[in-house]
Amino acid sequence: MSSELCDPQVIRAAMAGAPFSKRLGQNFLTDAGVPKRMAGLFGKKHAVLEIGPGFGALTAALAETCGAVVAVEKDKRLLPLLRQNLSPFPNVTLIGGDALRLGLTALMPAGLIPAVCANLPYSLTTPLLVKLLESGSEGIGRALPDTPLPPLHDPVVVMVQREVARRLTAIAGTPEYGAITVFAALRARCSVLFDVPPESFMPRPAVTSTVIRFDRHAPDAARDSLVPAALRLSKAAFAQRRKTLANALSAGLALPRAAVTGRLRGAGFDPGARGETVPPEGYLEMAKAFTDIKMGA
Ligand code: SAM
């Protein structure tokens, strides 16, 4: 069934009156092996949230392997098609709406482990990832109160542009390393699974895609309380990435340079170093030296 929904002729015929929306990142999978591989990472114990089911290929593959699927699609034109394509699967709940605006956790059925699997619309990758990973221990990724399973059992598996995947998994000191790398690393363990070439989609995107997997860190009150400040520091450091830490943090946090320098030295950081040399866990350490400063997001 999921294979049929990847057939370019079937997709083209069904979409005849509704052109693909570039704004909504509509590149539908035409290689049936990809949804199967992504869905294969989940099982009957999972309730999987899918953002942007499109024509339903990944949704159907997930329905075949998972306990339940909740699919949120913004494009209202696709909803009648999706209802028809997914009618063989009673375990799919289709919701018309904007995943950025909806409270996603409330949509998930009780009794199964909530997880996420999606081929994300490219233009919304960062805000959607921030929303999915930030939901953390109290959100989509929470372990159910009645199960001993830690959050490691609820992966977030998403397809993104390869270039974004490289930034998300970059090593400190490389050109790809940035604030988004620090964000991802402080929220989850992030691993690259496999590439998907442009020929696997309709219409073909200009770039290669990559499927990545996030396994959120288990809740840790002491560490978690430092994360917002660490993220604020990394944002300030990378906003002016050619500047020294002392200058970038002083400008970004509106603090006197001398105060920033003293705090950095006290915490064992070289104020003359650049932010791109500090690994994600380093920003957590740095945050300890700024706990008395109120820092907005
Ligand atoms: N899952 C399908 C597949 O893999 O063939 C389609 C993926 S396509 C890259 C992205 C899908 O996300 C499109 O169907 C698009 O309409 C939908 N979309 C875009 N923005 C959205 C949003 N804010 N909330 C929910 N769906 C969205």
Side-chain angles (χ1 to χ4, degrees), residues 54-280:
F55 196 62
L58 179 57
T59 328
L62 287 166
E64 279 163 357
T65 54
C66 303
V69 185
V70 176
V72 179
E73 174 56 59
K74 184 171 178 183
D75 189 346
K76 289 200 177 72
R77 301 170 312 162
L78 294 175
L79 296 176
L81 275 180
L82 277 166
R83 260 181 223 114
Q84 192 183 317
N85 291 348
L86 300 170
S87 59
F89 304 107
N91 59 342
V92 174
T93 305
L94 183 61
I95 291 168
D98 183 341
L100 278 175
R101 290 169 183 271
L102 288 169
L104 300 174
T105 302
L107 303 177
M108 304 309 285
L112 293 168
I113 301 168
V116 179
C117 187
N119 171 10
L120 291 178
Y122 287 160
S123 60
L124 294 179
T125 300
T126 304
L128 283 169
L129 275 182
V130 168
K131 179 162 180 167
L132 294 173
L133 297 179
E134 267 190 345
S135 55
S137 53
E138 76 291 346
I140 276 291
R142 76 201 186 287
L144 294 179
D146 56 347
T147 109
L149 292 169
L152 284 182
H153 287 75
D154 66 333
V156 172
V157 175
V158 287
M159 192 187 301
V160 300
Q161 290 184 43
R162 183 166 61 182
E163 176 242 326
V164 175
R166 287 193 172 145
R167 283 198 273 131
L168 286 163
T169 54
I171 307 286
T174 60
E176 290 86 10
Y177 184 63
I180 189 73
T181 324
V182 178
F183 169 80
L186 294 187
R187 295 291 183 196
R189 190 158 47 82
C190 178
S191 23
V192 168
L193 298 186
F194 58 94
D195 283 345
V196 185
E199 308 82 80
S200 300
F201 300 90
M202 174 189 250
R204 284 186 189 187
V207 295
T208 297
S209 302
T210 298
V211 177
I212 53 178
R213 167 183 179 135
F214 298 96
D215 291 283
R216 278 163 290 209
H217 300 308
D220 172 340
R223 185 184 183 281
D224 294 348
S225 69
L226 291 169
V227 170
L231 296 179
R232 183 74 189 86
L233 288 164
S234 71
K235 265 193 203 165
F238 285 105
Q240 300 184 305
R241 90 184 266 149
R242 305 315 305 164
K243 285 197 174 179
T244 63
L245 270 176
N247 286 340
L249 297 187
S250 165
L253 305 175
L255 288 174
R257 193 177 180 287
V260 172
T261 303
R263 284 163 195 269
L264 286 172
R265 281 218 177 92
F269 290 91
D270 173 4
R274 295 214 173 98
E276 63 195 10
T277 62
V278 179

